[in-house]
Amino acid sequence: MGDRVVISYSLSQRFLHWATVFLVLFNLLLPDGMNTWQRLVRHGGTPSPEQIASANIHAYVGIGILLVTILRLCLRFVQGVPPETAGEPAVFRLAARLAHASLYLLLLALPASGIAVYYLGMEALSALHADILKVILWIVISAHVLGALVHQFYWKTDVLRRMTVG
Ligand code: HEM
Ligand code: HEM
């Protein structure tokens, strides 16, 4: 078929994107074990082994997200990414770039603040983690998903393909 321009994310990049989606939604939707631990400790209680275990699940999933995010940034640097889509006004390309950068920042800042609260006892960062960054992440994810759908179905640039089947 002649020369083929790289139009897709690599298999590892695609796998790690969807693994991130799964892990992030898990921590966003099921933080109850960690919240119970936090409430107990703040009031001077002693968590049971079961309560510690379910708080640890949130922590380990979050640390997993941190490691996967660092790996993704390395892959992005080494393998590059497909060229930006060209079918839409430039402001939408800028919006996509901003959304991706914010997602990477949030996926570093949420685990970092969580680790500071959970392992280092830096209670002051608890509101940053559990109120502020959490809400910003929900907003950016919503914008990201909406943006992907607008690119796909309105501008008809095949962005979903390059992050799925390739
Ligand atoms: C927890 C939720 C999600 C997070 C944290 C996330 C994160 C990211 C990040 C950081 C990138 C940039 C990749 C790079 O260029 O290095 C990206 C790209 C992408 N994401 Fe997501 N994503 C999420 C959910 C979704 C969902 C649900 C969809 C499908 C509707 C989706 C579709 C895409 C597509 C199509 C791209 C490639 C964009 C392009 O080709 O420029 N993402 N995502
Ligand atoms: C991207 C990764 C993470 C996400 C999306 C996330 C998300 C959340 C959410 C949604 C809550 C509940 C907030 C609420 O009450 O509504 C929470 C609480 C908490 N998370 Fe995370 N988390 C992540 C990583 C981590 C890590 C790695 C740790 C520790 C090692 C951690 C420690 C905590 C603690 C201690 C709380 C309770 C804070 C409080 O209620 O004051 N998180 N997290």
Side-chain angles (χ1 to χ4, degrees):
M1 297 285 282
D3 291 333
R4 184 172 170 275
V5 187
V6 177
I7 53 152
S8 252
Y9 288 90
S10 71
L11 185 60
S12 1
Q13 286 175 322
R14 284 177 271 147
F15 174 78
L16 293 174
H17 175 270
W18 295 105
T20 303
V21 174
F22 176 77
L23 295 172
V24 167
L25 287 180
F26 180 88
N27 262 12
L28 279 176
L29 295 171
L30 303 167
D32 303 12
M34 183 55 96
N35 279 340
T36 305
W37 177 89
Q38 176 73 11
R39 222 174 308 120
L40 257 173
V41 169
R42 196 176 285 154
H43 295 101
T46 311
S48 70
E50 290 77 16
Q51 285 168 329
I52 293 174
S54 56
N56 278 340
I57 293 175
H58 181 92
Y60 298 155
V61 168
I63 292 167
I65 293 167
L66 177 63
L67 297 178
V68 166
T69 301
I70 293 169
L71 184 57
R72 285 180 74 184
L73 286 168
C74 295
L75 283 178
R76 202 178 196 286
F77 185 71
V78 174
Q79 302 181 327
V81 288
E84 291 185 325
T85 54
E88 71 289 78
V91 65
F92 288 89
R93 289 197 287 277
L94 178 66
R97 222 182 301 149
L98 272 176
H100 296 169
S102 326
L103 285 168
Y104 279 124
L105 278 177
L106 287 163
L107 297 184
L108 299 173
L110 264 150
S113 55
I115 288 169
V117 175
Y118 191 58
Y119 293 115
L120 310 176
M122 295 166 73
E123 274 293 318
L125 292 181
S126 149
L128 178 69
H129 180 82
D131 301 324
I132 301 171
L133 293 180
K134 171 195 78 175
V135 173
I136 299 178
L137 181 60
W138 271 120
I139 294 171
V140 182
I141 289 177
S142 311
H144 174 61
V145 174
L146 194 71
L149 296 179
V150 169
H151 270 95
Q152 184 72 31
F153 297 110
Y154 186 76
W155 303 113
K156 305 221 188 311
T157 45
D158 216 355
V159 287
L160 286 181
R161 185 183 177 90
R162 54 196 208 168
M163 200 45 112
T164 51
V165 291

